[in-house]
């Protein structure tokens, strides 16, 4: 099967959509660019370690026509928020609540909001350098039919988080496509918390399950002296494919705090493109990725320091087990005018099996001479001495491995500010790690007896 068969199918899906007429020109231009862009391969640097082969399973996938009835997890319902729920890409009103006056769905925007969307949509993405990863940005525009806008006026503060929940469901014989687009625009001196939560109706899956695809783009502009907290949880099941991007532009003296957590799938690729466009801008980002079985997860981050006196701190942890693969590429680019920059990038990885793989590549590119920067990456295995110590204190081997794995990622996990979600994730990850530990112990026993 030719690699570009997915491109052809994606374009045919775009042609068959009943889309908002206001986006017709944007969609047409994007479709042309998507069709003209070469398909990424092993020689494409941005995709060197990540295969797009799983997309070839989606040449008959289509958008869902109606939302399937589901029940939201209790942890989701417990977060006091302005909640919007989409099931297989379809808005589900009965699970959603009222929105603040500053937010709307594209399809329900008034005349003023429509004008703002048409003016600003795509402007943050457009500031990023062209590369092979933009292929899926073009696809997102080509599929554009709805989305969510949050536009906070100058000096406004959102009293509780905007919580976007995207649920994928399992249909026995049908692969589905889901489109996500979010535009967040914070004017000067405003403040907001935003949560993007991607999950599946069920967590059990295997290699025979039908794959589905989410293609999501988030654009965020943070005005002068504005503050943002952005959370992105990618917790879809193992059969799901997700290709997404977060594009963030920071103005003078603005502050952005980002939290990212992703579990592996058939293919999960998330790009963070962050630009310091004004002096004094600050970024703090914590994240973790987890992969097991034969999953693949890939995080690419690029932080552009364009102006002086800006800071960035990026702390990313990864735990990879079984025969899974993780990719991390973190780039910090200090432009010539970005004097007095403080920038740090730390990526630590833990391999819990001999068959696990991680490809990590921290990059630091500096063109200014008065900066303080540090970057580094490590790959290690569970400490046998620590395991022995815990077992000598009466802790079972599986629980000891769980404790060490959980401790490795908990420093990052503790940065999540929403208690119901934090507690739910703590339970989920403890169960995950102890399951992996028991599986590892069983495989070791089988190997010794063979």
């Amino acid at each position: 099967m030719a690699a570009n068969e997915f491109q052809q199918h994606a374009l045919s899906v775009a042609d068959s959509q009943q889309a908002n007429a206001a986006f017709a020109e944007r969609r047409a231009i994007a479709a042309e660019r998507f069709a003209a862009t070469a398909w990424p391969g092993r020689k494409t640097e941005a995709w060197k370690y990540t295969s797009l082969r799983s997309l070839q399973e989606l040449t008959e996938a289509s958008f869902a026509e109606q939302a399937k009835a589901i029940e939201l997890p209790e942890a989701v319902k417990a977060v006091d928020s302005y909640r919007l729920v989409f099931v297989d890409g379809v808005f589900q009103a009965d699970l959603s609540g009222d929105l603040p006056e500053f937010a709307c769905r594209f399809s329900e925007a008034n005349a003023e909001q429509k004008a703002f969307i048409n003016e600003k949509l795509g402007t943050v993405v457009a500031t990023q350098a062209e590369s092979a990863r933009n292929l899926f940005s073009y696809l997102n525009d080509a599929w554009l039919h709805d989305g969510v806008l949050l536009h906070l006026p100058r000096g406004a503060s959102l009293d509780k988080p905007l919580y976007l929940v995207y649920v994928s469901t399992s249909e026995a014989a049908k692969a589905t496509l889901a489109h996500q687009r979010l535009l967040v625009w914070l004017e000067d001196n405003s403040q907001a918390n935003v949560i993007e939560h991607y999950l599946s109706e069920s967590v059990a899956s295997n290699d025979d399950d039908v794959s589905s695809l989410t293609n999501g783009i988030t654009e965020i502009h943070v005005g002068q002296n504005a503050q943002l907290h952005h959370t992105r949880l990618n917790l879809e099941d193992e059969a799901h494919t997700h290709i997404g991007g977060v594009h963030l532009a920071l103005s003078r003296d603005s502050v952005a705090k980002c939290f990212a957590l992703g579990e592996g799938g058939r293919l999960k690729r998330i790009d963070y493109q962050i630009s310091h466009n004004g002096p004094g801008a600050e970024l703090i980002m914590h994240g973790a990725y987890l992969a097991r079985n034969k999953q693949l997860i890939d995080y690419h981050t690029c932080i552009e320091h364009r102006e002086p006196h800006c800071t960035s701190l990026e702390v990313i942890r990864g735990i990879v087990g079984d025969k899974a693969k993780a990719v991390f590429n973190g780039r910090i680019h200090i432009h010539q005018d970005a004097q007095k920059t403080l920038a740090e990038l730390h990526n630590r990885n833990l391999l819990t099996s001999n068959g696990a793989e991680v490809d990590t590549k921290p990059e630091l590119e500096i063109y200014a001479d008065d900066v303080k920067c540090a970057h580094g990456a490590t790959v290690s295995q569970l400490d046998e001495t620590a395991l022995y110590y815990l077992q000598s204190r009466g802790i079972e081997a599986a629980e000891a491995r769980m404790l060490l794995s959980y401790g490795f990622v908990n420093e990052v996990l503790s940065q999540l500010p929403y208690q119901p979600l934090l507690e739910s994730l703590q339970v989920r990850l403890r169960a995950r790690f102890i399951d992996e530990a028991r599986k590892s112990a069983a495989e070791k026993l089988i190997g010794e007896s063979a």
Side-chain angles (χ1 to χ4, degrees):
M1 181 181 293
N4 64 5
E5 281 190 35
F6 174 78
Q7 284 176 283
Q8 295 169 0
H9 176 68
L11 291 169
S12 69
V13 168
D15 288 339
S16 65
Q17 277 182 292
Q18 297 294 322
N20 191 327
F23 301 134
E25 182 179 359
R26 183 189 300 271
R27 286 167 54 92
I29 293 172
E32 290 180 4
R33 291 177 176 174
F34 179 71
T37 303
W39 190 254
R42 293 293 186 184
K43 294 183 179 180
T44 308
E45 185 63 29
W47 297 89
K48 184 176 181 180
Y49 300 106
T50 300
S51 171
L52 295 173
R53 193 174 305 160
S54 65
L55 293 181
Q56 298 177 13
E57 303 171 7
L58 298 166
T59 53
E60 296 183 3
S62 60
F63 287 104
E65 296 180 359
Q66 60 183 12
K68 178 182 177 182
I70 65 160
E71 181 68 25
L72 288 176
E74 291 301 320
V76 172
K77 293 188 286 187
V79 178
D80 184 22
S81 64
Y82 297 108
R83 188 173 68 225
L84 283 178
V85 179
F86 297 82
V87 178
D88 291 328
V90 180
F91 176 65
Q92 192 144 335
D94 62 329
L95 296 176
S96 304
D98 295 330
L99 286 178
E101 59 179 313
F102 313 121
C104 70
R105 291 168 52 214
F106 291 178
S107 57
E108 297 182 342
N110 59 35
E112 183 180 350
Q113 290 168 330
K114 287 179 180 177
F116 186 85
I117 292 168
N118 286 329
E119 177 188 357
K120 301 298 186 182
L121 193 67
T123 58
V124 180
V125 173
T127 63
Q128 309 298 337
E130 292 290 331
S131 68
R133 59 178 169 264
N134 295 120
L135 176 78
F136 296 99
S137 297
Y138 297 147
L139 178 59
N140 192 275
D141 270 352
W143 282 352
L144 183 62
H145 60 280
D146 202 357
V148 177
L149 167 69
L150 173 64
H151 180 204
L152 277 185
R154 183 184 180 94
S157 180
L158 200 62
D159 60 330
K160 53 187 178 182
L162 177 65
Y163 191 0
L164 306 173
V165 183
Y166 302 96
V167 184
S168 62
T169 65
S170 53
E171 296 291 344
K174 184 179 180 182
T176 58
L177 304 173
H179 171 274
Q180 170 268 328
R181 191 63 176 256
L182 173 62
L183 176 61
V184 176
W185 204 273
L186 306 186
E187 301 289 359
D188 298 349
N189 300 300
S190 60
Q191 184 274 330
N193 287 19
V194 178
I195 308 170
E196 296 182 70
H197 191 169
Y198 299 85
L199 65 152
S200 295
E201 182 187 22
S202 62
V203 297
S205 61
N206 55 61
D207 290 341
D208 297 327
D209 285 342
V210 175
S211 181
S212 292
L213 168 67
T214 296
N215 176 245
I217 293 291
T218 296
E219 292 183 273
I220 305 174
H221 166 83
V222 186
Q224 294 186 23
N225 204 39
Q227 298 184 31
L228 168 79
H229 193 289
H230 177 255
T231 298
R232 201 177 205 268
L233 306 176
N234 284 97
L235 304 175
E236 303 100 327
D237 67 28
E238 195 163 346
H240 200 76
T241 295
H242 185 119
I243 299 178
V246 176
H247 301 263
L248 174 60
L250 300 175
S251 305
R252 175 188 288 269
D253 297 324
S254 63
V255 178
K257 296 182 179 180
C258 298
F259 179 89
L261 177 67
E263 291 185 331
R266 214 158 250 170
L267 165 62
K268 195 163 289 183
R269 166 65 178 260
I270 313 296
D271 285 80
Y272 275 81
Q273 302 284 324
I274 301 168
S275 293
H276 293 69
N277 295 334
E282 179 182 1
L283 168 73
I284 301 174
M285 181 175 180
H286 290 87
Y289 48 85
L290 311 165
R292 60 180 174 179
N293 298 327
K294 297 180 181 179
Q295 296 171 353
L296 170 61
I297 190 164
D298 179 349
Y299 273 84
H300 271 57
T301 67
C302 180
I303 301 175
E304 301 279 354
H305 283 268
R306 305 180 188 274
E307 299 288 340
H309 299 283
C310 293
T311 63
S312 66
L313 171 63
E314 186 178 359
V315 179
I316 308 293
R317 299 284 176 91
I319 299 182
V320 190
D322 300 322
K323 296 182 179 180
K325 180 178 179 179
V327 179
F328 176 77
N329 185 289
R331 180 172 182 259
I332 299 175
H333 182 193
I334 313 295
H335 293 245
Q336 186 174 357
D337 293 334
Q339 304 294 344
K340 304 295 183 179
T341 290
L342 300 176
E344 292 185 41
L345 164 63
H346 305 284
N347 175 231
R348 293 178 59 194
N349 296 275
L350 182 65
L351 302 182
T352 60
S353 73
N354 292 330
E357 176 184 345
V358 61
D359 296 289
T360 177
K361 184 183 178 184
E363 301 178 35
L364 186 55
E365 189 174 350
I366 304 175
Y367 296 96
D369 55 12
D370 187 8
V371 300
K372 291 184 179 180
C373 301
H375 74 303
T378 62
V379 180
S380 61
Q381 295 181 315
L382 289 173
D383 188 337
E384 293 294 334
T385 302
L387 283 172
Y388 176 79
Y389 174 81
L390 291 173
Q391 292 178 73
S392 70
R393 295 300 185 269
I395 298 175
E396 294 183 0
E399 187 176 357
R401 294 177 70 88
M402 180 275 290
L403 289 172
L404 291 179
S405 297
Y406 181 78
F408 182 82
V409 78
N410 188 52
E411 179 184 342
V412 169
L413 195 65
S414 63
Q415 300 298 317
L416 184 63
Y418 310 107
Q419 195 63 28
L421 294 179
L422 176 60
E423 293 175 358
S424 174
L425 285 171
Q426 288 172 335
V427 172
R428 179 186 181 117
L429 294 185
R430 287 192 187 102
R432 175 193 179 104
F433 293 143
I434 200 152
D435 178 65
E436 290 179 6
R438 287 169 177 164
K439 184 192 299 184
S440 176
E443 291 175 352
K444 183 178 180 180
L445 184 62
I446 293 172
E448 291 174 350
S449 61

